[in-house]
């Protein structure tokens, strides 16, 4: 079979970190190739070399039989390589159409931007590939799932023969994931494209890929036909040991109500209603899962509960106090920890070090600051090293900038910081987005450990399997309203999915 991409002895070193170690790999034309591995295994680095964002320390890369020389995005694009990145590279203030045609803008009389033509291009791509999005909408007003679709349309617009998708389903619902997989199979089978998927979700590897490569500690440790391996085998190859997923046992009884939401209403960024009379309660020793298609009010709900968005009306009672109108600092002081859905935008000080990010929220504590002013760096670094070891944060050291970490290790920094607070209420949004299988299992265990210790946990996740695995109770959201509620014994994907789409719980029974 014809080779689309060949890596020959590729190594990539960042100071003391060897991200890729003598990787030799062939990817065939017209196949879906999955690349898996733990966070920091070197998957994204290898694909960034292919896309021209990094120049390898040694080795060579060949695309369609032509060796890359300059290792620039322009050269890779010219060779037919497109890439959709895990962290979106869109212009927030531009419309969908403007983002999709960016760099190849249609012009009126060769001078002025042709908005009508740009919208026609997006409509054509949308119809061809089945990715629903409004060409006139501004990107900053879209949900994360909708932004992902724009990224994919943008790459397809560039006419790529080799398309790299870095964690493409991280912000998609199960139904959206199925739709994406249908698109992938269609462009591979009907148009002969090559698709490379970087993912942590092994069931997705089994569902969509033809072959799979496993990386560990910068090395390629194996390549196999997907039909010849199991999820358990891939997991063991990724971590270098047999993976055993222990059941998440419940311990302890439910305690007092820790959070009460009554008739909550709020607008989104466009001043449209995002929350419409939302009401629910959450008790200590309970995990309440929020399930819903992206853009149905989950993000706005979390923002109101954590003081990041004003409520139009309604009540939010935490620890017996109505906290509507309080700022994030005041709400944190009530005993609330928060893992936000977007680690880059709201979870991290991206240019600061690992230790500084782990310190956030504690900088005035006597242990870390003399007189509440002068920072005690020896204590701070010791604390950061302790958390880094406990949560397996892999970096060049606690003084390394967070920006140098892989996406999964960035997430672990946020989780480590928030979980280390002794908070009676944890609001956790997308806790394992972009995190590898071993780290996801560990984060799940930490969540259950907190629940078993008596914390109340509000879990918002686009991963329905995660919601089912962790939750004691599930509520679904549709168009800003609570559309269904399910006790532990009532969990059923068809019934929950129906309520996520606006149907009624009774209709599924």
């Amino acid at each position: 079979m014809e080779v689309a991409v060949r890596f020959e002895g590729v190594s990539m070193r960042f100071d003391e970190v060897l991200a890729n170690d003598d990787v030799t790999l062939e990817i065939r034309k017209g196949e879906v190739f999955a690349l898996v591995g733990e966070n920091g295994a070197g998957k994204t680095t290898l694909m960034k070399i292919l896309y021209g964002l990094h120049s390898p320390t040694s080795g060579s890369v060949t695309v369609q039989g032509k060796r890359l020389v300059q290792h620039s995005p322009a050269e890779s694009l010219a060779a037919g390589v497109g890439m959709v990145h895990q962290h979106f590279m869109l212009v927030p203030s531009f419309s969908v159409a403007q983002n999709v045609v960016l760099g190849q803008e249609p012009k009126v009389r060769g001078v002025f931007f042709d908005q009508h033509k740009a919208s026609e291009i997006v409509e054509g791509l949308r119809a061809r590939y089945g990715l629903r999005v409004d060409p006139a909408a501004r990107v900053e007003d879209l949900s994360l799932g909708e932004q992902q679709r724009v990224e994919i349309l943008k790459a397809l617009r560039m006419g790529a023969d080799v398309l790299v998708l870095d964690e493409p389903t991280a912000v998609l619902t199960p139904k959206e994931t199925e739709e994406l997989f249908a698109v992938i199979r269609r462009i591979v089978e009907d148009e002969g494209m090559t698709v490379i998927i970087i993912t942590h979700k092994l069931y997705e590897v089994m569902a969509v890929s033809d072959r799979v490569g496993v990386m560990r500690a910068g090395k390629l440790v194996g390549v196999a036909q997907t039909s010849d391996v199991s999820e358990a085998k891939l997991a063991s190859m990724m971590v270098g040991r047999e993976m055993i997923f222990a059941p998440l046992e419940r311990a302890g009884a439910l305690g007092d109500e820790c959070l009460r939401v009554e008739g909550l209403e709020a607008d989104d960024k466009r001043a449209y209603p995002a929350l419409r009379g939302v009401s629910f309660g959450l008790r200590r020793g309970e995990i309440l899962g929020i399930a819903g298609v992206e853009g149905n009010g989950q993000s706005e709900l979390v923002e109101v509960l954590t003081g990041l968005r004003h409520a139009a009306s309604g009540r939010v009672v935490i620890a017996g106090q109505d906290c509507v109108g309080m700022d994030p600092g005041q709400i944190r002081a009530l005993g609330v920890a928060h893992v936000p859905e977007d680690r880059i935008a709201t979870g991290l000080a991206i240019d600061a070090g690992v230790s500084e990010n782990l310190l956030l929220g504690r900088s005035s504590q006597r242990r870390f600051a003399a007189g509440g002013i002068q920072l005690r760096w020896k204590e701070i670094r010791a604390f950061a090293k302790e958390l880094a070891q406990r949560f397996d944060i892999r970096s060049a050291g606690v003084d390394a900038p967070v920006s140098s970490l892989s996406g999964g290790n960035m997430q672990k920094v946020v989780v480590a910081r928030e979980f280390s607070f002794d908070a009676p209420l944890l609001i956790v949004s997308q806790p394992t987005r972009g995190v590898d299988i071993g780290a996801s299992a560990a984060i799940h265990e930490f969540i259950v450990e907190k629940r078993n210790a008596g914390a109340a946990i509000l879990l918002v996740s686009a991963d329905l399997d995660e919601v089912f695995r962790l939750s004691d109770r599930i509520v679904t959201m549709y168009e800003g309203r609570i559309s269904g509620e399910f006790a532990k014994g009532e969990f059923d994907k068809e019934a929950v999915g129906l309520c996520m789409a606006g149907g009624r719980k009774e209709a599924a029974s």
Side-chain angles (χ1 to χ4, degrees):
M1 185 175 287
E2 184 180 350
V3 175
V5 177
R6 177 173 174 80
F7 298 91
E8 180 69 41
V10 170
S11 294
M12 184 72 213
R13 183 178 291 277
F14 298 96
D15 296 325
E16 300 302 314
V17 177
L18 187 60
N20 292 142
D21 187 1
D22 193 26
V23 176
T24 296
L25 169 66
E26 288 186 348
I27 298 170
R28 301 164 184 166
K29 181 176 175 59
E31 75 171 343
V32 180
F33 187 89
L35 193 61
V36 301
E38 291 191 281
N39 297 125
K43 312 178 299 296
T44 298
T45 298
L46 190 68
M47 291 301 105
K48 284 184 176 179
I49 290 172
L50 172 62
Y51 190 60
L53 294 175
H54 294 319
S55 180
T57 305
S58 61
S60 64
V61 182
T62 303
V63 180
Q64 314 287 8
K66 183 178 180 181
R67 179 170 175 171
L68 301 182
V69 177
Q70 299 173 349
H71 292 289
S72 67
E75 181 186 33
S76 294
L77 285 168
V81 178
M83 184 170 182
V84 176
H85 301 270
Q86 181 178 350
H87 302 303
F88 305 142
M89 295 189 175
L90 300 171
V91 181
S93 60
F94 281 14
S95 70
V96 168
Q98 289 171 318
N99 271 280
V100 170
V101 302
L102 191 62
Q104 297 181 341
E105 296 89 345
K107 302 289 179 63
V108 177
R109 295 190 293 274
V111 178
F112 303 104
F113 176 69
D114 191 338
Q115 177 67 53
H116 179 71
K117 181 62 177 176
S119 296
E120 283 186 344
I121 290 171
V122 174
E123 289 286 3
L125 290 169
R126 183 173 70 167
R128 179 177 177 181
Y129 297 110
L131 291 165
R132 299 186 305 276
V133 69
D134 179 4
R138 286 202 307 180
V139 164
E140 63 186 357
D141 296 328
L142 300 179
S143 69
L144 290 173
E146 291 168 327
Q147 290 181 38
Q148 178 70 283
R149 293 175 217 158
V150 178
E151 283 279 20
I152 293 171
L153 285 174
K154 183 178 177 181
L156 293 171
R157 156 70 173 164
M158 302 296 284
D161 296 313
V162 178
L163 181 62
V164 180
L165 304 176
D166 190 357
E167 299 290 350
T169 66
V171 295
L172 304 183
T173 64
K175 186 175 184 345
E176 289 171 324
T177 297
E178 290 178 8
E179 293 171 352
L180 174 63
F181 287 172
V183 169
I184 290 172
R185 296 310 316 183
R186 186 158 60 246
I187 63 178
V188 168
E189 294 170 5
D190 296 349
E191 305 191 24
M193 287 181 60
T194 300
V195 177
I196 305 170
I197 297 179
I198 304 171
T199 182
H200 296 104
K201 300 177 180 179
L202 297 184
Y203 67 89
E204 294 183 355
V205 173
M206 307 304 293
V208 75
S209 69
D210 300 302
R211 290 194 305 146
V212 55
V214 181
M215 295 191 70
R216 187 170 71 243
K219 290 181 176 291
L220 183 70
V221 297
V223 177
Q225 290 290 136
T226 305
S227 58
D228 293 338
V229 294
S230 64
E231 290 186 36
K233 175 64 175 175
L234 290 176
S236 298
M237 291 172 69
M238 286 167 57
V239 302
R241 65 185 188 279
E242 185 178 0
M243 287 293 297
I244 300 174
F245 295 98
L248 301 174
E249 299 293 342
R250 172 172 193 87
L254 291 176
D256 296 335
E257 190 171 77
C258 189
L259 170 67
R260 164 59 52 182
V261 177
E262 296 178 351
L264 194 61
E265 309 225 348
D267 294 337
D268 63 15
K269 294 178 181 177
R270 299 167 293 179
Y272 295 155
L275 298 177
R276 306 165 188 252
V278 171
S279 299
F280 62 87
L282 173 60
R283 297 169 67 180
R284 296 191 64 146
E286 178 184 34
I287 299 173
L288 175 62
I290 304 288
V293 177
E294 290 276 349
N296 277 275
Q298 306 96 306
S299 297
E300 288 83 2
L301 173 63
V302 169
E303 289 173 355
V304 170
L305 297 182
T306 55
L308 296 172
R309 180 177 298 275
H310 292 297
S313 62
R315 298 177 71 224
V316 176
V317 180
I318 298 175
Q321 295 190 47
D322 189 346
C323 62
V324 169
M326 289 186 180
D327 62 36
Q330 292 171 314
I331 291 176
R332 182 177 284 276
L334 292 177
V336 179
H338 174 213
V339 176
E341 69 173 61
D342 189 337
R343 54 181 170 259
I344 299 295
T346 54
L348 297 165
I350 199 67
D351 294 325
V354 172
S355 59
E356 293 164 296
N357 274 276
L358 291 172
L359 182 68
L360 292 175
R362 294 184 172 88
S363 57
S364 62
Q365 292 180 9
R366 184 176 301 177
R367 175 184 173 185
F368 303 116
I373 300 175
Q374 186 67 39
L375 293 177
R376 303 179 189 269
W377 282 106
K378 183 177 179 180
E379 288 289 339
I380 291 169
R381 291 189 179 96
F383 172 73
K385 288 177 182 177
E386 176 188 331
L387 286 186
Q389 181 176 10
R390 182 183 174 200
F391 288 85
D392 192 28
I393 299 168
R394 302 181 186 183
S395 68
V398 295
D399 292 324
V402 162
S403 59
S404 69
L405 274 58
S406 67
N409 279 297
M410 289 183 188
Q411 182 73 3
K412 284 191 264 187
V413 170
V414 179
V415 170
R417 182 186 67 227
E418 297 302 314
F419 279 35
S420 61
F421 285 105
D422 187 20
L425 173 60
L426 280 79
I427 298 174
V428 183
S429 188
Q430 318 299 345
T432 60
R433 178 171 284 169
V435 174
D436 63 61
I437 188 169
S440 292
I443 290 172
H444 286 178
E445 290 172 4
F446 283 124
I447 290 173
V448 172
E449 178 184 303
K450 282 287 187 183
R451 187 273 312 275
N452 288 347
I457 299 174
L458 184 70
L459 170 69
V460 179
S461 176
D463 185 341
L464 197 55
D465 288 323
E466 181 170 69
V467 173
F468 272 53
R469 183 167 194 242
L470 295 177
S471 302
D472 299 303
R473 189 162 49 96
I474 295 173
V475 296
T476 55
M477 291 189 68
Y478 177 72
E479 292 188 345
R481 296 183 174 90
I482 299 296
S483 57
E485 181 173 344
F486 300 82
K488 188 74 172 179
E490 299 177 323
F491 291 3
D492 175 82
K493 282 193 175 180
E494 182 179 349
V496 172
L498 179 65
C499 290
M500 288 169 61
R504 293 170 52 200
K505 181 180 176 182
E506 295 78 9
S509 51

